[in-house]
Every structure is written in structure tokens, then in C-alpha cells.
Amino acid sequence: PASSTKTHKMRQILIKPNLRDILKQAKETSDGIYVFCNRLKTKYHQIRTMFNRALQKAGIENLIFHDLRHSAITLLSNMGNDMPTIAKIAGHASIRTTLRYAHSSTKVQEDAMEQLDNKMGSFWAPKPKSEEPENELHEKRVEYSVIN
């Protein structure tokens, strides 16, 4: 119910085929109330205990459950999704909150600057004075910025 969310608002979450399959499997061991139950069909009392046990089996150290949220938001951002979409998926009322979660990788920043350079490189490159007078160069730059 909306009363149990942080913002007290209902929201929809899209479920893709991979998650749908996981939920269908979980239903087999569910008690009908909780999604994930143990083999005895009783609810897990501490998800943190189960999470830490899984981390230990996987040999993963220094990770807390909330790190998964940061990772998912960062992945969405680094894959080129826009912040309003990511904020909606994350359930954030403000994009400012989402920006605190999204950590742009150096590679993504390099790719962004490469795209900008490809788009603007010829625009910014000075033309030799012998090719055209200064006022024509200025007119072309203004014309370019208006068109694109």
C-alpha cells in the first residue's frame, strides 16, 4: 500500500521477463503473503542475514544491500538513460536525489566528450584566413548554430 512507501504514494514498477521468471519460481516456495520464503514456506526474518550469507558464499566483501541501488542507478546512467527516466524507475521525487546515486564512469565521460568533439570539432576549428574573410566565417558559425 502507498502508506508503506517513503513518499506515501503509489507507483508502478515495470517487470521484465527475467524478473517475471524469478518471481514465478519464488511463488513455488511462497506462503502466499511473502514473495520470498524459506524451504519451510515461512518468511525470512532478516533479509540482511540472507544477503550476507550469499555475499560470503560468493566471496564478496565490503558490500551492503543499499550499494545495489547505487550500482543499478549508475548502470542505467552509464548506459545512456536520461535522469528523469532513472529517477522515475528509482522512485525518486527529485532528480537531485538520483544524481547523488549515479556515478559516471571515466569511460562514459570520455565517450560524451568524444561525441561532443565529433559534433563540434569542425565548428570550433578556425578556418585559415586565406580561405574566407572573417565576416563570412562568423556568418557560417551563426548559421550552423541556428540550424543544428
Side-chain angles (χ1 to χ4, degrees):
S3 61
S4 63
T5 67
K6 189 175 180 180
T7 59
H8 303 287
K9 294 179 182 176
M10 290 284 285
R11 63 186 180 114
Q12 292 182 334
I13 300 172
L14 299 175
I15 297 177
K16 302 307 284 177
N18 289 337
L19 179 56
R20 186 177 298 120
D21 292 344
I22 292 168
L23 292 173
K24 282 181 182 178
Q25 288 175 349
K27 188 176 182 179
E28 294 173 11
T29 58
S30 172
D31 66 355
I33 298 171
Y34 296 96
V35 176
F36 298 103
C37 294
N38 61 28
R39 291 184 186 136
L40 301 173
K41 292 193 175 192
T42 59
K43 73 174 184 169
Y44 288 113
H45 293 281
Q46 285 292 326
I47 192 71
R48 184 178 302 157
T49 303
M50 300 307 297
F51 181 72
N52 289 339
R53 193 174 297 155
L55 290 177
Q56 189 175 21
K57 283 184 180 180
I60 299 171
E61 297 177 359
N62 300 321
L63 182 74
I64 60 172
F65 194 77
H66 196 74
D67 291 342
L68 300 177
R69 187 168 174 81
H70 282 264
S71 295
I73 291 170
T74 297
L75 283 170
L76 287 168
S77 175
N78 288 345
M79 290 186 294
N81 295 284
D82 62 86
M83 282 298 141
T85 299
I86 298 170
K88 187 84 168 166
I89 290 169
H92 293 155
S94 167
I95 292 174
R96 293 174 115 191
T97 304
T98 309
L99 290 170
R100 286 196 303 259
Y101 279 78
H103 309 286
S104 180
S105 72
T106 303
K107 172 75 171 116
V108 170
Q109 292 172 35
E110 288 172 1
D111 290 348
M113 291 307 294
E114 182 72 24
Q115 290 172 6
L116 182 62
D117 185 56
N118 289 340
K119 185 75 171 173
M120 300 301 291
S122 61
F123 174 72
W124 294 117
K127 303 279 187 213
K129 289 195 184 250
S130 61
E131 282 186 27
E132 51 186 272
E134 183 66 32
N135 62 346
E136 286 181 18
L137 178 61
H138 178 71
E139 287 173 15
K140 284 191 174 189
R141 286 189 180 174
V142 170
E143 178 182 273
Y144 180 85
S145 65
V146 171
I147 292 171
N148 291 321

